[in-house]
Amino acid sequence: MMIGYLPFPDIGTEIFALELGGFRLALRWYALAYIVGLFVGWRICARTISRADFWAKAGPPFLKRQLEDLFTWIVAGVIIGGRLGFVLFYQPEYYLQNPLEILMVWQGGMSFHGGFLGVVLSTLIFCHRQGVAVLPTADLLAIATPPGLFLGRVANFTNNELWGRPTDLPWGVAFPGEVAQACPGVVGVCARHPSQLYEAILEGLILGALLLFLAWLRGWLRTPGRLTGVFLLGYGSSRVFVEFFRQPDMQFVTPDNPIGYALLWGNWGITMGQSLSIPMILIGVVLILWPVLGQRKAGLANQP
């Protein structure tokens, strides 16, 4: 029996909808989160590029007028990569049987890790076409990404999706719906961890504040790659942690695997989100330490 819980603020998935000639056009909270997140990220990039003192002597990696071209590639990478990542990582068998539904992005189903890979690829294409350095560009995008992550996770919450595991903590939320309320062993209302908000706080607010502090106040943009490393380490660690409270992906749940591990070794395992985040953590650590190790190696080489 759940002693106390918070009611779900059911504000719906749509802000408004219009009927035009038999077609229904709706603005959803999730779409608004993407739009506002991209706009805020663009403003952060524009401000950062305009401040020459944030960068090394060579200055920012590209001109402000090139920013719009970059964000065109970014939008394409987020949408295509996010959708294909969800299809390949989480429900490949279903979409193999229903390939036309891959295009139906309005039905939901986006993967951060897929979107991240899409952004990496689109950024590499942009840098190649424009003759731009990759690591400073990646650092710029790293500090611009957390606002979008924050808004996206809040939209997951309002959309009543990606909720957490059952809990008796006082901030547990009673998400509506038969699936959300189907909690084995729970009598009455089932409250769950608001894991979407955990991620919004960790990946959006805390990581975003740290990256801006390091970039604007500590001069980390002068050493290319370090801020990208902080982002990868911060996001990966946050995701691995929150996965312990997040409802497992149902396609991985079996009677022998009730936690929903994607990779299982005896009684131990990791979820799909954790398996995709661990490489991010490792790469992040390398990018953070690489300049330090390079300076130490150069210092030893200069010793008599």
Side-chain angles (χ1 to χ4, degrees):
M1 176 76 70
M2 297 294 177
I3 304 301
Y5 60 88
L6 299 176
F8 177 72
D10 193 0
I11 62 175
T13 61
E14 299 176 352
I15 303 172
F16 66 84
L18 298 174
E19 298 286 346
L20 297 174
F23 293 94
R24 189 170 187 274
L25 302 176
L27 177 61
R28 300 176 179 270
W29 289 109
Y30 202 69
L32 183 64
Y34 269 85
I35 294 170
V36 175
L38 286 168
F39 175 76
V40 174
W42 178 81
R43 290 299 304 161
I44 290 175
C45 287
R47 171 176 167 76
T48 306
I49 287 176
S50 65
R51 292 288 301 270
D53 56 310
F54 288 165
W55 303 88
K57 292 182 179 180
F62 52 84
L63 301 176
K64 193 173 181 180
R65 59 179 172 81
Q66 295 173 286
L67 190 57
E68 292 183 8
D69 189 23
L70 171 61
F71 266 72
T72 300
W73 284 98
I74 294 300
V75 171
V78 168
I79 296 175
I80 298 174
R83 184 59 171 175
L84 292 180
F86 179 80
V87 170
L88 297 174
F89 297 151
Y90 294 98
Q91 296 187 14
E93 295 181 359
Y94 174 82
Y95 285 103
L96 185 63
Q97 298 172 2
N98 304 275
L100 293 179
E101 292 192 24
I102 295 175
L103 302 176
M104 300 178 184
V105 294
W106 56 87
Q107 293 183 354
M110 298 286 282
S111 161
F112 167 81
H113 294 92
F116 172 76
L117 292 175
V119 169
V120 170
L121 179 59
S122 60
T123 301
L124 290 175
I125 294 174
F126 166 82
C127 292
H128 175 72
R129 289 169 60 93
Q130 301 284 343
V132 170
V134 173
L135 285 180
T137 303
D139 290 341
L140 186 65
L141 294 177
I143 65 176
T145 299
L149 292 177
F150 171 80
L151 293 170
R153 293 309 181 190
V154 172
N156 290 147
F157 178 79
T158 60
N159 282 356
N160 185 26
E161 60 187 8
L162 305 182
W163 13 259
R165 301 176 188 179
T167 180
D168 57 2
L169 292 171
W171 58 82
V173 176
F175 292 96
E178 293 184 5
V179 177
Q181 288 298 310
C183 302
V186 176
V187 178
V189 176
C190 175
R192 294 179 176 273
H193 284 283
S195 55
Q196 315 97 321
L197 301 184
Y198 297 170
E199 290 192 72
I201 293 170
L202 291 173
E203 305 163 6
L205 294 180
I206 296 178
L207 180 57
L210 174 62
L211 286 166
L212 286 177
F213 170 76
L214 294 174
W216 291 359
L217 299 179
R218 302 298 296 176
W220 276 41
L221 283 168
R222 300 187 186 101
T223 307
R226 292 180 73 190
L227 285 173
T228 302
V230 173
F231 173 81
L232 295 174
L233 175 61
Y235 177 87
S237 301
S238 299
R239 183 64 182 268
V240 167
F241 172 74
V242 174
E243 285 286 315
F244 289 108
F245 306 98
R246 186 170 170 173
Q247 179 69 17
D249 300 300
M250 296 307 297
Q251 62 269 30
F252 297 114
V253 176
T254 65
D256 297 329
N257 183 20
I259 300 298
Y261 292 129
L263 301 174
L264 188 62
W265 304 275
N267 295 326
W268 298 88
I270 57 177
T271 66
M272 178 59 75
Q274 290 172 329
S275 66
L276 295 172
S277 297
I278 290 173
M280 297 178 69
I281 295 174
L282 298 177
I283 295 172
V285 171
V286 170
L287 287 174
I288 293 171
L289 296 180
W290 191 263
V292 178
L293 296 176
Q295 292 175 1
R296 181 173 297 179
K297 182 177 180 180
L300 293 174
N302 292 332
Q303 289 181 358

